[in-house]
Amino acid sequence: MKKKVGVYICQCGTNIAGKVDVEKIAKELGEESDDVTVCRYYKYMCSEPGQKLIRDDIAELGLDYVLEASCSPKMHEPTFRNAVSAAGMNPYMFEMVNIREHCSWVCENKEEATRKAKDLLHGGIRRVQHHTPLVGSKKPVNPTSMVVGGGIAGITASLKIANAGYKVYLVEKDEIIGGRMAQFDKTFPTLDCAGCTLTPKTSEVGRHPNIEILTMYEVREMSGFVGNFKVKVFQKPRYVNLDKCTGCGDCQQFCPISFKSEFELGLTTRHPISRAFPQAIPNTYSILRAGKPPCEDACPAGVNVCGYMNLAGLGKFDEALALVRERMPFAAVCGRICYHPCETVCKRGKIDDPLSICYTKRYLGDYELEKGEFNHPPIEQERKEKVAVIGSGPAGLSAAYYLRLRGYPVTVFEKLPVAGGMLAVGIPDYRLPRDILAAEIRNLTGMGIEIKTGVTFGKDITFDSLKQEGYQSFFIATGLHKNTALRIEGEDLEGVIPGTDLLRKASLDEPVSLGRKVVIVGGGNVVIDCARSAWRLGAEEVTVLYRRTYGGLKAVETEETPMDKELTEEERLRAKPISRQQMPRLSPVKRRGNFEEVDLGFSAWDQGTLLREMHTAQRFAA
């Protein structure tokens, strides 16, 4: 069934009729267009007689659509929608074209204005026939308002809304409200005192029961729709409890530091703990921090230590873990093996003991592992560019993690049969349990990162082969698995095992022949790990030889298994420096292929001397 369209043209006095031949258009449209049921014009269509004309035609002719040509829809579209609605037509079956601003007011030539108006009406007739009826609905509305920006405009808006009886959140990124006006002396054009105008309003906002001021907040995310918006805000630390600060200023009097005031544009100075000016709202103090705290500066990964420690102290463990992962993705692993230089420089240590930063990080990682639910920032828009990461050590896995967050498909290729690099084969499982490491790696694979083990770069895969598979970028993280040679006589003898080789074989459950007595040469974590691993592999006697004193070993002891309790003879660990003349000779014994059969009767030699004496002993025994 053919739809009926009614067309109505307003003359708007002479505003339209002075340049557009309305009568001619109405006549031609009625004769030429088969879609038009009725076409009328009237001097003021927006008047009550004009609206009645439309309502009567809808009722008598059964119109399906109405097109009205007059002024701007911004001015009278609601008027005509109400008119057609009063006649029983869905208000969204109405269309309006603007022939005043678009034709009459911009065209000098009457014929051109008429022709353009006629074309707009033809377009409107076609467009209105595609309209579909819309039905309004009612939804629950949250009347609370948020005003973003605490300048004079935000303050005025907040007061108007709050005085109407509604709750208002006034969000301001700086430490006080007032905006730029708070920095002015006088205001244009009357040159009134800016402070005299602003201060009464800021004071009223500060004490208004319906207004909650959120200073040092920034809007990060907004979702929802009118009446039901959800806003996520980020609060920068003020380092002062607003509920307890009375604004007395005693703290400021004893602060010895001064720097240029940003609020005063560098013309005066202020203390790190201070307020912008005496009448500021909120009338409390803030601590302004510049640079990095010592703990963050000492952290090799640059983790925001103060941030996640404070969040953890407030019980916000998920947020604390998210802050750690901004710089380092493996909290549970790092919390077990990190040598925590942050605690060494912790200022709390000057009073009593440093904060337990490392164990807090470990707790956060274990908290997440116990929940079995890993939280990460949302992955950005998926990309097509494939990235290959060579090596699955800490660097390779970290690169894969942050690349995946950016949306890249990532594949990690690992030469060893297990993923993790030195985490898996360089750190014994008594320090880093393999189930913890495996859980952290599963976390990555759960994000869509693919890990392929037992793949050797240069043999199984090459740059060319990876490019043929569609990989466009490469991250090389092969690690430093090769031991540093001492370049001395005897280090290539049978039975001399590099430390990292021993740890790797022990981690991969490969056979290691050590015998009854084992000598570990050197200092540091690797030496102690080798000594403790040798004990676990069945050695009856383990001796650590180090060229300095016991205190210079520079190894990080663990709380659960201090190395002193595991090694056989404590006095052998406490290296006592002796002269070359005091060194006893090695007792010759029958050689059995390993130097552990040589009876060592000394406490501490330098590494070169030790290996040379071993070489001599083996030659003698042979």
Side-chain angles (χ1 to χ4, degrees), residues 489-557:
E489 182 182 4
E491 66 178 311
D492 57 348
L493 290 173
E494 182 181 358
V496 178
I497 306 174
T500 53
D501 290 355
L502 173 65
L503 294 175
R504 180 169 59 252
K505 290 181 179 181
S507 298
L508 297 176
D509 294 327
E510 296 179 359
V512 182
S513 178
L514 294 180
R516 293 186 302 106
K517 296 182 179 180
V518 176
V519 173
I520 312 294
V521 181
N525 291 332
V526 173
V527 165
I528 302 305
D529 283 342
C530 288
R532 296 171 67 183
S533 296
W535 175 264
R536 285 167 170 77
L537 290 170
E540 296 178 6
E541 185 174 317
V542 178
T543 304
V544 175
L545 302 179
Y546 183 55
R547 61 195 176 98
R548 296 191 181 94
T549 62
Y550 175 71
L553 275 173
K554 296 182 180 179
V556 179
E557 298 182 37

Side-chain angles (χ1 to χ4, degrees), residues 181-415:
M181 189 172 179
Q183 296 176 288
F184 295 157
D185 177 37
K186 292 180 171 54
T187 56
F188 183 82
T190 59
L191 298 182
D192 288 336
C193 170
C196 300
T197 304
L198 180 66
T199 302
K201 289 184 176 294
T202 57
S203 299
E204 185 180 356
V205 168
R207 63 175 181 266
H208 203 293
N210 289 339
I211 298 178
E212 182 173 343
I213 302 174
L214 303 177
T215 52
M216 303 189 78
Y217 278 74
E218 291 183 5
V219 175
R220 288 293 179 87
E221 184 179 318
M222 183 180 293
S223 60
F225 49 91
V226 175
N228 288 280
F229 284 110
K230 291 185 178 179
V231 181
K232 182 180 289 187
V233 293
F234 173 78
Q235 182 185 17
K236 293 177 288 186
R238 195 181 190 98
Y239 305 109
V240 172
N241 190 328
L242 296 183
D243 295 331
K244 296 181 179 180
C245 179
T246 61
C248 64
D250 289 346
C251 54
Q252 179 177 284
Q253 296 177 13
F254 295 97
C255 182
I257 307 298
S258 295
F259 62 96
K260 290 184 177 180
S261 170
E262 183 178 347
F263 177 80
E264 298 288 355
L265 302 180
L267 298 176
T268 61
T269 61
R270 62 182 295 186
H271 297 288
I273 183 165
S274 57
R275 56 190 171 192
F277 63 100
Q279 294 79 29
I281 299 294
N283 195 18
T284 52
Y285 283 70
S286 304
I287 296 177
L288 305 179
R289 306 185 73 137
K292 292 182 179 179
C295 49
E296 182 179 346
D297 192 52
C299 177
V303 176
N304 186 347
V305 178
C306 287
Y308 83 75
M309 290 293 289
N310 276 285
L311 288 170
L314 294 171
K316 298 181 178 182
F317 303 131
D318 292 326
E319 292 85 349
L321 195 57
L323 191 59
V324 172
R325 285 210 171 105
E326 287 184 4
R327 300 289 302 181
M328 189 276 301
F330 309 115
V333 169
C334 186
R336 285 171 166 79
I337 64 174
C338 181
Y339 63 99
H340 44 76
C342 51
E343 295 184 17
T344 304
V345 298
C346 179
K347 294 297 184 182
R348 181 72 189 186
K350 293 185 177 182
I351 301 175
D352 40 44
D353 295 320
L355 297 177
S356 297
I357 299 171
C358 191
Y359 278 113
T360 301
K361 189 188 304 174
R362 172 174 173 171
Y363 174 81
L364 294 174
D366 290 351
Y367 163 79
E368 187 177 53
L369 293 176
E370 188 174 334
K371 283 200 314 179
E373 179 182 345
F374 297 94
N375 296 317
H376 304 284
I379 295 176
E380 297 180 11
Q381 183 176 359
E382 292 287 347
R383 302 171 182 263
K384 297 181 180 179
E385 301 88 350
K386 296 169 63 178
V387 180
V389 176
I390 313 300
S392 68
L397 294 177
S398 296
Y401 174 79
Y402 292 112
L403 284 167
R404 186 68 194 112
L405 290 180
R406 292 291 185 91
Y408 292 99
V410 183
T411 303
V412 180
F413 298 93
E414 171 57 51
K415 177 181 179 179

